[in-house]
Amino acid sequence: MKLVAWYYKSIDNDRCNILLHSSSKIYEARELYRLFKSILEIWWISLIWSKKYDAFSQLINISSRFMYFFRWIFDNLYVLSKIGFLTWKVMIPLQIASRLLWLFALLFYMIYCIITIKKTYNDESDLKVAAIDWTVSYMRENLKKIGVLRRD
């Protein structure tokens, strides 16, 4: 839309303004689709909580999901005030808080991914070392375990 508006800028300024306004409304409509992402994060938190694995990894992963949850809450408040549903005048701090929470959530999730990769690599190398003296059928069973570890 903005590319077409840029084309019409020199030809027809009214059409350019209509296209730019339409583009901004489409952007706001895309933001409205994200209103219920916080509910999805609650589902993720409950799913992670139900799994039993390393306490530190679980803490990091749940912390990341809580930050995503609050990121979506602040983003929802920003979007609702932007479209005029809420009459708050603190739109910029909401947007800044939302983006900072997103950054920290990504950092925590990266830490969780690094821990998971390291653990999976160690488990896989232990299984490969132990596989030297195994029979073929026993080796196939443990290769399935390796596959499950890689999918985790």
Side-chain angles (χ1 to χ4, degrees):
M1 281 277 204
K2 289 186 178 182
L3 183 65
V4 176
W6 175 75
Y7 172 75
Y8 279 112
K9 188 170 184 166
S10 60
I11 299 171
D12 186 6
N13 200 23
D14 291 335
R15 185 174 285 181
C16 173
N17 290 335
I18 290 170
L19 289 170
L20 286 175
H21 182 70
S22 299
S23 175
S24 69
K25 292 301 175 186
I26 289 171
Y27 181 73
E28 288 175 4
R30 284 183 51 230
E31 288 178 335
L32 287 174
Y33 283 117
R34 298 190 309 233
L35 283 178
F36 300 105
K37 284 258 192 169
S38 54
I39 296 170
L40 181 66
E41 292 303 327
I42 292 172
W43 178 77
W44 274 111
I45 290 168
S46 67
L47 185 70
I48 294 167
W49 188 265
S50 66
K51 288 185 176 180
K52 298 297 180 208
Y53 53 94
D54 181 27
F56 182 71
S57 297
Q58 192 172 17
L59 176 72
I60 292 290
N61 200 1
I62 288 176
S63 299
S64 169
R65 287 296 160 186
F66 267 117
M67 287 182 201
Y68 276 124
F69 171 76
F70 287 113
R71 181 253 197 263
W72 292 119
I73 293 290
F74 285 135
D75 190 56
N76 292 342
L77 292 174
Y78 170 73
V79 169
L80 291 175
S81 62
K82 184 178 175 183
I83 63 173
F85 189 75
L86 298 175
T87 57
W88 294 355
K89 301 295 181 196
V90 290
M91 288 174 47
I92 299 301
L94 288 174
Q95 189 178 26
I96 291 171
S98 172
R99 290 180 179 172
L100 281 174
L101 283 167
W102 184 45
L103 174 70
F104 288 124
L106 288 174
L107 289 174
F108 272 61
Y109 193 69
M110 284 180 60
I111 291 170
Y112 169 73
C113 288
I114 290 169
I115 290 169
T116 304
I117 289 170
K118 183 178 179 277
K119 179 184 169 291
T120 304
Y121 178 75
N122 287 340
D123 291 346
E124 185 177 340
S125 65
D126 290 344
L127 285 173
K128 284 181 181 177
V129 167
I132 294 173
D133 295 329
W134 292 342
T135 63
V136 174
S137 62
Y138 193 67
M139 181 70 167
R140 285 184 184 160
E141 291 173 13
N142 284 302
L143 284 175
K144 289 178 186 177
K145 290 180 185 177
I146 290 172
V148 169
L149 285 174
R150 285 189 173 173
R151 281 187 226 115
D152 190 25

